[in-house]
Amino acid sequence: MAAAQRHRLAVAGLGKIARDQHLPALARSEAFELAATADPAGGLPEVDHFDALERLLAERPDVTALSLCTPPQVRYPLARAALQAGRHLLLEKPPGQTLGEVEALRALAEAAGVSLFATWHSRFAPAVPRARDWVAGHRVERVRIAWKEDVRRWHPGQRWIWQPGGFGVFDPGINALSILTAVLPRPLRVVSATLEVPENCAAPIAARLSMTDDAGVAIEAELDFRQEGPQTWDMAFEGPEGAITLQAGGSRLSLDPPEGAPAMIGEYDAIYRRFAELIGRGESEVDVAPLRLVADAFLVGRSRPTEAFHD
């Protein structure tokens, strides 16, 4: 039987996340072929490149799918143009800078008859499904999240992250919230929040959130962009029948033997597999639950100024 033809896909926005994750995953993909890129700052020597997405959409009708990896502040008009041009669209997280933008894109995708995939890559970490299975069989009373990393290591020189719509510490913190909303079975709400905002920035460098659900689960999250040395991406689920901890961003479970979990497919490889499935089924997947928690944290949170941040 002949192999299925791969989708020709373009990547728009060739920043760190595209180069570190999307391009390697696409090189391994059996479903997608990297056919073009778009970025005003330049492209790859071996791939057809455009300095504007509008030119790519006009000149490459054979490109049927697009991965949008730009900062959230400029994403909506680009996503809108791609959907109106009839291209299937994958959105790097966060899917937009506001809930309204994402809901509008969902409606545009439906009207255009194309697939829209708002990705949450941390949900594809290997231990997350096993944590969800454990939680389904145990009563959870408390969740503790510690998501602390060094912004200088992961976002060097990226000023957009400190500007309005850039999310600050919630850019990585939303990964924790994406896992949380995938593992716990009931909708969550933010009870209170404290946001530490550097005096020279518009977005928080650290945050503490208290959340709950209708079962009264007490959820505390500490997010910090100032972590030096070892990085921390852990969440513990505790109850009267025991506890588990998701470690290293969902890569390991505390129930694993010391050598760790068996090797599994990478997060971004799994994202592109899922994108291909959605296109094949003519479906979209747009879950805004993590983004809603971030929006609610800004709505109910108390802002506290802190010292200026400098790269």
Side-chain angles (χ1 to χ4, degrees):
M1 181 180 296
Q5 185 175 3
R6 295 194 295 172
H7 301 281
R8 291 188 178 92
L9 178 141
V11 173
L14 291 176
K16 191 173 189 301
I17 194 65
R19 294 177 183 270
D20 288 355
Q21 301 293 345
H22 287 266
L23 298 183
L26 285 166
R28 296 186 293 266
S29 176
E30 297 180 355
F32 294 98
E33 168 193 348
L34 179 62
T37 58
D39 192 312
L44 306 173
E46 68 277 14
V47 180
D48 194 16
H49 180 72
F50 299 84
D51 58 6
L53 179 61
E54 293 78 8
R55 285 189 54 226
L56 187 155
L57 295 173
E59 298 180 26
R60 290 294 304 270
D62 60 311
V63 171
T64 57
L66 179 76
S67 290
L68 194 49
C69 304
T70 66
Q73 294 98 323
V74 299
R75 190 171 298 170
Y76 178 76
L78 301 176
R80 187 172 186 271
L83 293 173
Q84 290 182 326
R87 315 302 168 92
H88 304 292
L89 183 61
L90 181 152
L91 299 173
E92 173 60 48
K93 65 85 191 170
Q97 64 175 344
T98 69
L99 287 163
E101 286 184 352
V102 181
E103 295 294 353
L105 293 177
R106 188 206 304 264
L108 282 170
E110 183 176 357
V114 295
S115 295
L116 176 63
F117 184 22
T119 65
W120 302 107
H121 68 82
S122 290
R123 288 181 174 178
F124 292 88
V128 171
R130 292 185 294 125
R132 183 171 57 240
D133 291 343
W134 187 92
V135 167
H138 297 78
R139 182 156 63 92
V140 174
E141 295 180 341
R142 182 183 181 192
V143 180
R144 293 179 292 111
I145 299 171
W147 220 259
K148 303 177 181 181
E149 63 180 59
D150 184 353
V151 65
R152 292 181 176 90
R153 182 190 305 186
W154 302 103
H155 297 276
Q158 295 181 12
R159 292 305 305 170
W160 63 264
I161 206 166
W162 302 113
Q163 297 166 357
F167 286 70
V169 74
F170 284 103
D171 182 81
I174 205 169
N175 294 334
L177 300 179
S178 73
I179 294 174
L180 183 70
T181 50
V183 170
L184 292 184
R186 290 171 292 272
L188 307 178
R189 62 183 184 276
V190 178
V191 177
S192 63
T194 301
L195 313 178
E196 295 187 39
V197 182
E199 60 186 24
N200 62 336
C201 299
I205 197 168
R208 295 179 63 95
L209 279 66
S210 294
M211 297 169 280
T212 191
D213 64 5
D214 282 345
V217 177
I219 306 163
E220 300 292 329
E222 293 186 44
L223 316 177
D224 205 316
F225 244 165
R226 301 167 295 195
Q227 179 95 332
E228 297 181 357
Q231 308 287 276
T232 304
W233 301 294
D234 298 341
M235 60 177 64
F237 299 84
E238 304 168 352
E241 302 164 306
I244 60 166
T245 301
L246 267 173
Q247 301 166 326
S251 297
R252 299 192 305 271
L253 202 62
S254 57
L255 299 175
D256 294 335
E259 63 269 19
M264 298 181 70
I265 192 168
E267 294 175 12
Y268 281 82
D269 295 76
I271 280 174
Y272 279 101
R273 288 181 60 187
R274 179 61 178 157
F275 190 30
E277 291 173 358
L278 291 170
I279 293 173
R281 297 174 183 173
E283 298 175 356
S284 291
E285 186 172 294
V286 185
D287 179 11
V288 298
L291 183 59
R292 190 180 304 281
L293 291 177
V294 173
D296 288 352
F298 276 95
L299 284 170
V300 306
R302 180 183 298 274
S303 181
R304 187 170 70 188
T306 190
E307 62 186 8
F309 171 82
H310 300 284
D311 269 327

